[in-house]
Amino acid sequence: MITYISMLLATIILGYFAIRNKKNKRKYCIFSILSSVPFIIVSAIRYDVGSDFIDRYSQAFTHIAKGGYVSTYEYGFYLLNKICCLITHNPQIIFIITSIAINGSIFYLIFKYSKNPLLSIVIYFIGAYYFESMNIIRQYLGVSILLFAFPLIKEKKYIKVLILCTIAYFIHNASIVLSLTYILLFIYNKIYPKSYIIKKCDNAYLVLIGILIIIILHRYIYYGITFALSIASDKYFAYVGSKYDYSDLQITPLISGIIIYI
C-alpha cells in the first residue's frame, strides 16, 4: 500500500503545480502529463496484480505471439496484441501499452474538463477505479475510449461519437451498454434541444434516482440482463450461473460509491 500512497502523493504534488501554472499553457501541459506518470508506471510495471494477469492476459498474449488466435477476445483487442507482438514477445508489453492508454486518457480528460482536477484524481483513486483498471483491462480500455465521446455529444459531433463507440465495441463488446446511453442522450437532445433539466439538476438527482431504481428493481434488472445475454452473446451468457455470477446486490460497494459521489 506504501507504493500506491506514494504514487498518489507524487501525482497530487505534480497536479498542484499544473493548476498553479494553468495560465501558462506549456507548463500546464508538462505538469499535467507528469502527474499521470506515477499512475501509469505503477500499473505498467506491475506483476501478477489482478485476477486475470497470468491466466488470462499473459497466457493469451504468449499464445498470440506464437501465431495463435484467442476466440474470446474481441477483434480490436486481439489486433492490439498482434501489434504489441511486433515490439516484443514479452507479455509485459500489453500491460505497458494499456496502462498508457487507459491512465493517459483519463488524466488528459481530467485536466481538460474537470473544474477540480485534484479532486477528480483522488476520486479515481479512492473509488477503486484505478485498481479496477488493472483487473478488467479490456473493459477500462473501452471506457477510456468512450469517455472521449461524451463531450462530443454536447458539441453534436455525432459521427465522431459513432466512430469512437464502434472502436470501443471491438475492444470489449460490453461497451455497447454505454454507447446505448449516448444514443439516448442524442435522442433527448433532439427532442428537447433547449432543455436545461440535466444542467439544473447538476446530474446528482438523476444519479441518485437511478441508484434508487437499481436498489428496488435489481433482481428484475438482473433477469433482464441475463435474458438479453442469452439472445445476444453466447460468450458472455456462459458467465450466468458460473462462479463469476454474483446476482446479489453488494451493499458495501454501493454505499461507498454513493458517499464518494456525494
Side-chain angles (χ1 to χ4, degrees), residues 210 213-226:
I213 291 172
I214 291 172
I215 292 174
I216 297 172
L217 302 176
H218 70 275
R219 290 191 180 277
Y220 299 101
I221 294 171
Y222 169 77
Y223 293 140
I225 291 172
T226 54

Side-chain angles (χ1 to χ4, degrees), residues 101-173:
I102 293 169
N103 291 290
S105 298
I106 289 172
F107 271 79
Y108 169 79
L109 292 166
I110 283 175
F111 280 99
K112 184 174 178 62
Y113 293 106
S114 177
K115 294 180 179 179
N116 191 334
L118 297 186
L119 179 60
S120 296
I121 292 168
V122 170
I123 290 174
Y124 180 47
F125 180 82
I126 67 173
Y129 306 113
Y130 173 70
F131 300 102
E132 287 178 353
S133 74
M134 293 190 283
N135 190 40
I136 47 177
I137 296 173
R138 286 153 57 218
Q139 291 91 327
Y140 264 78
L141 192 56
V143 166
S144 65
I145 293 170
L146 288 173
L147 284 174
F148 279 99
F150 188 76
L152 295 177
I153 295 175
K154 186 176 181 180
E155 298 172 13
K156 298 183 179 181
K157 297 178 179 179
Y158 300 122
I159 300 298
K160 290 184 179 180
V161 172
L162 179 61
I163 292 171
L164 289 172
C165 288
T166 302
I167 295 171
Y169 176 78
F170 283 107
I171 296 296
H172 197 291
N173 293 160

Side-chain angles (χ1 to χ4, degrees), residues 166-226:
T166 302
I167 295 171
Y169 176 78
F170 283 107
I171 296 296
H172 197 291
N173 293 160
S175 299
I176 197 171
V177 176
L178 185 53
S179 299
L180 290 173
T181 305
Y182 289 170
I183 292 173
L184 292 175
L185 287 174
F186 167 72
I187 295 171
Y188 182 87
N189 286 340
K190 284 292 184 182
I191 298 174
Y192 303 106
K194 296 182 180 180
S195 175
Y196 63 98
I197 294 176
I198 293 180
K199 183 178 180 181
K200 184 179 179 181
C201 290
D202 198 25
N203 296 317
Y205 298 136
L206 294 177
V207 171
L208 293 176
I209 290 171
I211 291 171
L212 184 62
I213 291 172
I214 291 172
I215 292 174
I216 297 172
L217 302 176
H218 70 275
R219 290 191 180 277
Y220 299 101
I221 294 171
Y222 169 77
Y223 293 140
I225 291 172
T226 54

Side-chain angles (χ1 to χ4, degrees), residues 88-106:
T88 177
H89 285 188
N90 187 333
Q92 196 68 38
I93 187 64
I94 194 66
F95 302 103
I96 294 172
I97 296 300
T98 53
S99 174
I100 294 171
I102 293 169
N103 291 290
S105 298
I106 289 172

Side-chain angles (χ1 to χ4, degrees), residues 13 28 37 42 50 57 68 157 225 232 241:
I13 292 170
Y28 183 71
V37 171
V42 171
Y57 293 110
K157 297 178 179 179
I225 291 172

